[in-house]
Amino acid sequence: MTRVSWHMRDVPPAERFAYWREAVCQSFMPLEPEDLSDNHFDGGIDGVGGTSLHISRVQSVPAVVQRTRRGIGKLLDGSFYANLQLYGDAIVEQNGERAIARPGDIVLVDTNEPFSIRFEHGCDLLCATIPDGSLRRHLQHFTKRPNVIRSTGAGRLASAYLSTLRDLREDFETVDDLAGEQLSTLLIRAASAEIGVADAPTRRETTLRRILDFITDQLDNPLLSAKFVCRELKLSRSSLFAILGDSDIAFASYIRGLRLERCVGQLRDPRLSGVAVGDIARRAGFASQASFTRAFTRRYGAPPGSYRSKSDI
């Protein structure tokens, strides 16, 4: 269980935004905030989290929080942010879409893609950081994903659930795994309702979902291969690659990417600092530490040991 607290009480005014930038990056990931307060910055972050979910209360004067390609290059772990607006509006942009979230709405952004959230009048929000998992497996099947989930129907229930989690700070450790799963389920249902998903998926779409879910479930299996998937799901090799090809998914690189994202999250987790890099690689399904190191270095520009050392700074 981790707890974070960043506040400006003893920070000189001239140093506050620099302090805020550091607070945001340490509490979340490499983000690039922008000050809109005319050099009168103030804000605070209080967070609590476990392995399945992290909840933070974020308050600030007018500001922008954004994730750029440059920041993504420093860290790509597949998590989502679900921000419940408690006060003020948020202008969110991602995937070429722009929307406004009002108090009670939830801003939903994928940290694997650039985004910008603008708080013209300041913000007071709850941010749920949801690790890569069931939420991504379901949302990746949407042809269009909403950036804002309105406070109606399933969205209202998700908002209420997030508010309840804020009040469980002292007991959060006892519900962490359950809360992460239930919040993801609510967000999936709310996102589906938001875009009006009413048509039943085609047989091909259903098969694609089975394939991707199976790959995720078997990710730590070093024997995971096209032959293995075909045998377990009773598919021909040509059908497997045709269905994946329709969605521009390359079998080997897709699995390697998922495994690398899993390893990045574990290398950044201070609770796993005593776990050897080789063990992390094997747990993610890599056949050897050598193959893991080569793949990791190609993608992130540094070997895993160096990457972990930099993350600990």
Side-chain angles (χ1 to χ4, degrees):
M1 183 62 54
T2 59
R3 298 180 185 275
V4 298
S5 183
W6 296 78
H7 292 277
M8 307 284 183
R9 301 182 189 93
D10 301 318
V11 180
E15 301 174 13
R16 287 188 170 185
F17 187 68
Y19 180 87
W20 178 253
R21 185 184 294 110
E22 180 69 13
V24 168
C25 291
Q26 290 290 335
S27 300
F28 301 102
M29 59 173 57
L31 300 175
E32 299 173 42
E34 177 184 339
D35 186 5
L36 302 180
S37 69
D38 296 326
N39 298 317
H40 294 90
F41 197 83
D42 195 10
I45 300 174
D46 289 288
V48 60
T51 58
S52 300
L53 191 65
H54 193 284
I55 301 290
S56 300
R57 176 79 175 268
V58 182
Q59 298 170 292
S60 84
V61 296
V64 176
V65 176
Q66 55 191 348
R67 174 94 157 133
T68 65
R69 287 293 178 194
R70 178 173 175 269
I72 291 171
K74 294 180 180 179
L75 173 65
L76 185 71
D77 70 358
S79 58
F80 281 81
Y81 292 151
N83 296 347
L84 171 61
Q85 294 295 122
L86 301 175
Y87 164 81
D89 296 344
I91 302 172
V92 55
E93 297 184 53
Q94 187 170 58
N95 297 323
E97 300 290 333
R98 183 177 186 271
I100 299 177
R102 312 291 186 187
D105 294 340
I106 295 175
V107 171
L108 183 65
V109 292
D110 179 356
T111 68
N112 275 8
E113 298 294 335
F115 67 81
S116 171
I117 308 176
R118 188 178 186 90
F119 305 102
E120 295 278 3
H121 304 289
C123 76
D124 186 357
L125 60 85
L126 290 179
C127 175
T129 302
I130 306 171
D132 196 5
S134 63
L135 185 58
R136 178 170 298 281
R137 290 205 305 270
H138 286 82
L139 293 183
Q140 69 186 354
H141 302 301
F142 290 11
T143 56
K144 180 180 179 182
R145 194 198 70 239
N147 294 335
V148 175
I149 293 175
R150 306 297 172 185
S151 183
T152 58
R156 184 175 181 181
L157 188 57
S159 298
Y161 194 84
L162 262 173
S163 294
T164 300
L165 292 178
R166 174 186 58 180
D167 300 328
L168 291 175
R169 287 178 56 88
E170 299 306 318
D171 301 315
F172 195 79
E173 186 172 10
T174 64
V175 299
D176 167 47
D177 56 341
L178 180 64
E181 179 181 345
Q182 292 185 338
L183 179 59
S184 292
T185 299
L186 287 171
L187 290 172
I188 291 164
R189 177 70 64 86
S192 299
E194 194 70 34
I195 62 175
V197 175
D199 296 334
T202 65
R203 182 176 180 181
R204 205 171 183 85
E205 291 170 337
T206 300
T207 303
L208 174 63
R209 181 173 301 183
R210 286 178 60 223
I211 293 169
L212 298 182
D213 287 350
F214 181 79
I215 288 173
T216 302
D217 291 340
Q218 294 290 324
L219 201 59
D220 58 352
N221 184 352
L223 300 179
L224 180 61
S225 64
K227 182 178 180 180
F228 180 75
V229 173
C230 290
R231 185 180 72 237
E232 295 299 315
L233 298 185
K234 296 179 172 55
L235 295 171
S236 69
R237 185 180 178 86
S238 59
S239 294
L240 171 67
F241 284 96
I243 291 170
L244 292 176
D246 286 345
S247 297
D248 295 322
I249 297 173
F251 182 83
S253 60
Y254 178 76
I255 292 174
R256 183 169 56 250
L258 289 179
R259 285 172 169 167
L260 287 172
E261 288 172 9
R262 179 172 293 184
C263 290
V264 162
Q266 294 186 9
L267 287 170
R268 293 183 70 243
D269 192 334
R271 295 166 299 181
L272 301 179
S273 60
V275 179
V277 170
D279 290 338
I280 288 176
R282 282 188 290 274
R283 290 177 183 176
F286 283 96
S288 69
Q289 184 173 344
S291 63
F292 165 61
T293 299
R294 286 195 299 270
F296 191 97
T297 303
R298 280 197 301 268
R299 180 158 183 174
Y300 298 106
S306 299
Y307 183 93
R308 171 184 261 179
S309 299
K310 292 178 181 178
S311 297
D312 291 339
I313 296 175

